[in-house]
Amino acid sequence: MTHSTPGSTLPALAVTRIGTGPAVVLVHGFTQSAASWSRVAGVLSASGLEVLMPDLPGHGASPPADGDLWAAAEQLGRSCGRAVYVGYSLGGRICLHLALGRPDLVAGLVLVSTTAGIEDADERDERRARDAALADRIEEGGDDGLPGFLDEWLAQPLFAALGESAADRPARLLNSAGGLAGSLRAHGTGTQLPLWERVHELEMPVTVVAGSEDAKFADLGARLAMAVGANASFVLVPGAGHAAPFEQPEAFARLVADLSTG
């Protein structure tokens, strides 16, 4: 089954490219930007890969979020073409939609700290309401309030293992308050209809990754890999939390390089 927006005129995403060789697309999480992948990308390009790093809708130099997660996936695929797609958190959810909607574009799929959606409708509605309230607060604070919001965002227990260097605030400050607010409203976890009953459709190699110290997403990751089936594997990154690619960029890059060149 494919998904597309009839007569879609959604604009392309801003994409940074380095290196030459087989293509790997690194797709960042909420509040990040393409620049967040710099350490991982350096190792991958030195391994003989072309690395594409898009700014997601509402982030960095890309246009505002306009449409649902399927639309964002369409923009991603149209902007980056056929490749191995590596998605972290929000980026993982968009990559999952791309792999289901346009499997011809996804040579391989790496999903990091990613969920296939909240199954309980009430819980999903509650999450959407919380995200909408947070989006309002981000917008009200404006760009001047963005540094303070990022302090608050990175202070969550989810990012306890993320040091100052790995958090890379300069890459996050490339965003705007309006862009992030729009991303939350359009692509927050509460907007995602659950895909658990569809992930068995994925026929490309799928690697699900979680940090060993992130109990919630370690459990979700193991379940996701099992739901995909025999073409999926599950990898725990020892000593890492939710942001494993940024806490341990060299180890994560080696994992991706092995998958992409093997």
Side-chain angles (χ1 to χ4, degrees):
M1 181 184 299
T2 60
H3 293 262
S4 62
T5 305
S8 174
T9 57
L10 289 171
L13 303 178
V15 180
T16 301
R17 300 169 183 257
I18 64 169
T20 57
V24 176
V25 181
L26 303 178
V27 189
H28 63 77
F30 180 65
T31 79
Q32 293 183 307
S33 66
S36 300
W37 289 107
S38 59
R39 292 174 68 188
V40 173
V43 177
L44 291 177
S45 62
S47 301
L49 296 167
E50 180 187 18
V51 185
L52 291 76
M53 295 164 284
D55 287 325
L56 285 174
H59 292 76
S62 282
D66 182 12
D68 60 11
L69 286 160
W70 292 111
E74 182 182 340
Q75 284 179 282
L76 176 63
R78 188 147 39 86
S79 301
C80 297
R82 180 170 170 80
V84 171
Y85 279 81
V86 179
Y88 161 68
S89 197
L90 166 62
R93 294 190 294 110
I94 293 176
C95 287
L96 179 57
H97 283 74
L98 176 63
L100 287 168
R102 287 294 308 274
D104 57 304
L105 294 179
V106 182
L109 182 63
V110 181
L111 301 173
V112 189
S113 301
T114 299
T115 176
I118 299 171
E119 292 165 290
D120 182 86
D122 290 338
E123 185 181 347
R124 199 162 58 245
D125 288 345
E126 289 172 7
R127 176 60 184 265
R128 185 165 56 246
R130 289 200 305 272
D131 284 349
L134 180 57
D136 289 345
R137 193 152 59 82
I138 295 170
E139 213 162 43
E140 288 166 6
D143 289 344
D144 288 344
L146 192 56
F149 163 68
L150 289 175
D151 286 341
E152 176 186 333
W153 182 259
L154 292 169
Q156 295 180 90
L158 202 62
F159 303 117
L162 196 61
E164 183 176 346
S165 174
D168 197 359
R169 283 172 53 89
R172 297 175 192 263
L173 286 168
L174 296 173
N175 297 313
S176 69
L180 293 182
S183 173
L184 261 185
R185 293 188 184 108
H187 304 146
T189 304
T191 69
Q192 178 180 341
L193 294 177
L195 297 172
W196 293 100
E197 298 301 318
R198 288 200 57 194
V199 295
H200 70 277
E201 299 171 19
L202 298 173
E203 296 182 352
M204 72 287 294
V206 178
T207 303
V208 182
V209 181
S212 65
E213 304 306 306
D214 183 7
K216 175 182 177 180
F217 279 88
D219 289 345
L220 284 169
R223 181 188 170 198
L224 180 55
M226 184 174 297
V228 172
N231 55 316
S233 60
F234 176 56
V235 177
L236 274 178
V237 180
H242 186 73
F246 311 98
E247 296 168 33
Q248 298 188 24
E250 289 80 12
F252 181 78
R254 287 195 298 272
L255 168 67
V256 173
D258 288 346
L259 293 170
S260 303
T261 58

